Amino acid sequence: MGPEKRPPELRMLVIISAPKLAEKAAELFQKGHIPVLYQFCAQGTASSEMMELLGLGSIEKTVLLSIMSRPSAGEMLKKLKKQLHLGTSNSGIAFTMSLSGCSSRMMDAVKHLEEAQKETLFPTITKRELNTMSDMNYVMILAVINQGFGQEVMTAARAVGASGGTAFHVRHLVNEEAAKFWGLSVHQEREVISIVAPEEEKLTLMKAISETCGLHSEAKGIVLSMPVDQVIGLD
């Protein structure tokens, strides 16, 4: 397959920030005719002591997910940092994750967007810049637990160096007999804690969370990780 026919490398761009900043990010996406595929609410994971000090009941967050090519995702991260100052203290975090594939319709939409916008929204990125983007080794750790155990997860994670995370609620759709066979919880309401961290800290964090909130505990947690390409907001 020649280079001109090779499908673009795809990335999922994830933004986690305060709602007002997320609205501005969505506007930036719209100006570039980039669809925000998903938007949902979440909560930050500040410690209960800090929440009481600030007089807050929760730290509301908005999560935006979109799909684009690798060069476009890199340029969008630059724009988020430069125009919205995403990545500064308490502003939020944005990162990209590699996708191995998607539907042909989505692939065609990404290719069409690249051809239409490469001269204006996304200048050409050199091969050297692309290689630099892939050198940043991060992971996203997900802990899926019974509702109400998010604080226990973050306490265990902070004890081994995690700075923070994001929590959101999901419903557990599973066959009860299969769940009992595998020793999983049949509770429908579940909680997910997401932590982005350097790759070298992955095993330490996952071990600490599993020992406290794993399947053997009341939290009945499942801990997994996924690779992350680029990150802004962890410095």
Side-chain angles (χ1 to χ4, degrees):
M1 181 181 292
E4 69 280 1
K5 295 182 179 181
R6 188 172 299 160
E9 293 185 60
L10 297 180
R11 294 294 185 268
M12 175 176 286
L13 176 59
V14 182
I15 302 172
I16 304 174
S17 68
K20 289 185 178 180
L21 189 58
E23 290 179 8
K24 294 180 179 179
E27 291 175 1
L28 192 60
F29 276 49
Q30 291 172 1
K31 289 179 181 178
H33 305 288
I34 299 173
V36 175
L37 298 180
Y38 295 101
Q39 174 176 323
F40 56 92
C41 296
Q43 291 181 341
T45 56
S47 65
S48 56
E49 292 81 2
M50 180 61 70
M51 301 290 280
E52 292 176 2
L53 179 63
L54 297 176
L56 300 173
S58 65
I59 299 179
E60 185 178 358
K61 298 288 184 181
T62 296
V63 180
L64 300 178
L65 304 179
S66 188
I67 295 175
M68 59 191 73
S69 74
R70 182 185 180 191
S72 296
E75 281 296 328
M76 180 57 74
L77 284 178
K78 292 179 182 178
K79 287 181 175 291
L80 289 168
K81 188 172 184 178
K82 182 178 180 179
Q83 298 184 22
L84 303 185
H85 306 292
L86 188 68
T88 57
S89 180
N90 298 320
S91 63
I93 183 175
F95 56 93
T96 59
M97 303 178 67
S98 177
L99 298 179
S100 60
C102 68
S103 67
S104 59
R105 183 177 292 272
M106 175 59 69
M107 186 73 74
D108 290 340
V110 171
K111 290 172 65 176
H112 177 75
L113 175 65
E114 297 303 302
E115 293 172 358
Q117 299 296 327
K118 64 181 179 181
E119 299 296 333
T120 55
L121 183 65
F122 300 125
T124 301
I125 298 179
T126 66
K127 184 176 182 180
R128 180 178 179 182
E129 287 178 308
L130 286 175
N131 290 337
T132 300
M133 290 176 188
S134 64
D135 288 340
M136 302 177 68
N137 297 317
Y138 291 91
V139 295
M140 180 172 68
I141 297 172
L142 295 177
V144 185
I145 51 177
N146 284 339
Q147 191 168 348
F149 287 89
Q151 189 63 50
E152 284 83 349
V153 169
M154 286 310 305
T155 297
R158 284 196 180 93
V160 292
S163 58
T166 303
F168 49 96
H169 298 283
V170 297
R171 288 182 63 82
H172 191 194
L173 302 179
V174 66
N175 178 282
E176 289 193 15
E177 291 185 4
K180 291 178 180 178
F181 177 81
W182 290 105
L184 300 175
S185 170
V186 295
H187 294 173
Q188 287 189 325
E189 299 299 326
R190 299 279 275 174
E191 191 171 347
V192 178
I193 304 296
S194 167
I195 302 171
V196 177
E199 205 277 339
E200 60 266 23
E201 299 177 7
K202 177 183 71 175
L203 293 180
T204 300
L205 283 166
M206 294 181 72
K207 181 179 179 181
I209 295 171
S210 295
E211 289 178 348
T212 303
C213 299
L215 287 173
H216 65 281
S217 69
E218 293 184 16
K220 298 298 180 183
I222 298 174
V223 186
L224 52 95
S225 69
M226 292 176 281
V228 169
D229 290 325
Q230 300 172 266
V231 179
I232 57 174
L234 287 183
D235 298 334

